[in-house]
Amino acid sequence: MESKDQRMKVMCEILRNMRILKLQGWEMKFLSKIMELRKTETGWLKKFLYTNAMSSFLFWSAPTFVSVVTFGACFLMGIPLESGKILPALATFRILQEPIYNLPDTISMMVQTKVSLDRIASFLRLHDLQSDVIERLPRGSSDTAIEIIDGNFSWDLSSLNPTLKDINLKVQHGMRVAVCGTVGSGKSSLLSCILGEVPKISGTVKLCGTKAYVAQSPWIQSGTIEENILFGKEMEREKYERILEVCSFRKDLYSSAIIFTVKHIFFLVCHVHKVMNIRI
């Protein structure tokens, strides 16, 4: 399972960033990495199947082997083999066959259950987000929207090198700020610090008012467009209309509505034509 997790993690990262791999020409390099992980996983699968085959053979042949050993020992010890002894013994062995056959599956199921419970337990034992990372100020109480003073943050508190070190940032209300840097320089980690998702080692983070975060990977709820826009909040028609106007979303809604209507009309015409042909 650990080998499978490593392979699935790499596969998800590759599929998520396929465009970058194509542009940089890194297909063969990552393919060799996947094949190496797959080779390790295949080795464990072979061991599992061989062990399963051996255990199945052992438990399927066990009743016959037990009968032969039992009656052979009786013969060598001089115990008379009478029908009154042989038939009850065979009946007993027959009764024990089913539990013996199911024993490997039971052991395998117990092992899988233990692995699943260990995974759930490790997930539940994860540390919660620190509630005191961000100092929240009421809306309108300060001219500063976001302020970080001597901030030191680390995803792993046990690591000696913090993820972000000596961060000082001050953003006023109405400002537009762009954070530029190379890949892996900590731009996303800085946003996570403002959200309060990165454990704080030292420093102060102040946030005045509310915040909204739009991730690089879009996430859409299973619902209507209106529900995705409101995102669980109460409907305020004036604010809702203003948001559609600011985001230039009306054209998309109108286009989607037109395409939806044309598609339904097309299917309706095809259905009517089919019915008429059937009647004719």
Side-chain angles (χ1 to χ4, degrees):
M1 291 302 295
E2 292 179 356
S3 301
K4 182 179 179 180
D5 290 342
Q6 293 178 0
R7 182 181 63 84
M8 291 298 296
K9 182 179 179 181
V10 175
M11 284 294 298
C12 291
E13 291 178 354
I14 290 175
L15 294 176
R16 193 182 303 115
N17 302 285
M18 182 58 68
R19 183 180 300 176
I20 298 176
L21 296 182
K22 291 291 186 180
L23 291 175
Q24 300 294 336
W26 291 341
E27 297 96 330
M28 300 307 300
K29 181 177 180 180
F30 280 88
L31 177 61
S32 61
K33 186 175 182 179
I34 293 176
M35 295 303 297
E36 183 179 353
L37 294 174
R38 181 59 179 166
K39 184 178 179 180
T40 304
E41 183 184 359
T42 305
W44 283 108
L45 289 174
K46 287 181 179 179
K47 292 180 180 179
F48 169 74
L49 293 176
Y50 289 153
T51 306
N52 193 18
M54 292 176 61
S55 63
S56 298
F57 173 77
L58 176 63
F59 283 100
W60 275 97
S61 60
T64 304
F65 179 75
V66 170
S67 301
V68 172
V69 171
T70 301
F71 296 132
C74 291
F75 177 78
L76 295 176
M77 294 174 63
I79 300 175
L81 297 176
E82 301 174 353
S83 59
K85 296 180 180 179
I86 295 176
L87 294 179
L90 291 176
T92 303
F93 295 153
R94 178 68 62 180
I95 294 173
L96 294 176
Q97 278 185 358
E98 192 67 24
I100 292 176
Y101 292 158
N102 294 330
L103 184 60
D105 295 335
T106 304
I107 296 175
S108 177
M109 190 177 300
M110 291 173 62
V111 173
Q112 294 179 13
T113 304
K114 183 180 181 303
V115 172
S116 301
L117 292 177
D118 290 342
R119 289 186 171 211
I120 295 174
S122 62
F123 174 74
L124 295 177
R125 284 198 299 264
L126 293 175
H127 296 289
D128 295 332
L129 295 178
Q130 298 177 354
S131 58
D132 58 345
V133 172
I134 300 177
E135 181 181 346
R136 303 181 184 277
L137 304 176
R139 181 190 294 271
S141 61
S142 175
D143 295 334
T144 303
I146 302 171
E147 185 176 9
I148 302 177
I149 304 174
D150 297 331
N152 293 292
F153 306 89
S154 177
W155 289 105
D156 186 7
L157 294 176
S158 61
S159 177
L160 299 177
N161 298 321
T163 306
L164 296 176
K165 184 178 180 182
D166 298 332
I167 301 298
N168 290 277
L169 175 67
K170 190 173 183 180
V171 180
Q172 302 289 340
H173 285 288
M175 291 179 60
R176 291 179 175 84
V177 181
V179 181
C180 303
T182 58
V183 176
S185 60
K187 303 184 296 296
S188 300
S189 298
L190 178 60
L191 295 178
S192 299
C193 294
I194 298 174
L195 294 173
E197 296 181 354
V198 183
K200 183 179 65 175
I201 301 176
S202 62
T204 304
V205 181
K206 296 181 180 180
L207 178 65
C208 181
T210 59
K211 61 181 180 294
Y213 176 68
V214 181
Q216 293 179 348
S217 301
W219 178 66
I220 301 177
Q221 300 181 94
S222 297
T224 62
I225 297 177
E226 181 179 298
E227 291 174 352
N228 278 273
I229 295 175
L230 296 177
F231 216 74
K233 294 186 177 181
E234 296 293 333
M235 167 62 79
E236 298 180 18
R237 180 57 59 181
E238 183 178 352
K239 184 178 180 181
Y240 180 80
E241 296 294 337
R242 188 170 68 253
I243 290 174
L244 294 180
E245 191 68 31
V246 171
C247 297
S248 299
F249 199 51
R250 293 186 181 278
K251 293 182 180 179
D252 297 327
L253 290 178
Y254 293 153
S255 301
S256 300
I258 293 173
I259 294 174
F260 183 79
T261 305
V262 171
K263 184 186 296 185
H264 276 70
I265 293 174
F266 174 76
F267 282 117
L268 180 61
V269 170
C270 292
H271 180 69
V272 172
H273 182 69
K274 182 178 180 180
V275 172
M276 292 179 64
N277 289 335
I278 292 174
R279 289 181 178 178
I280 292 173

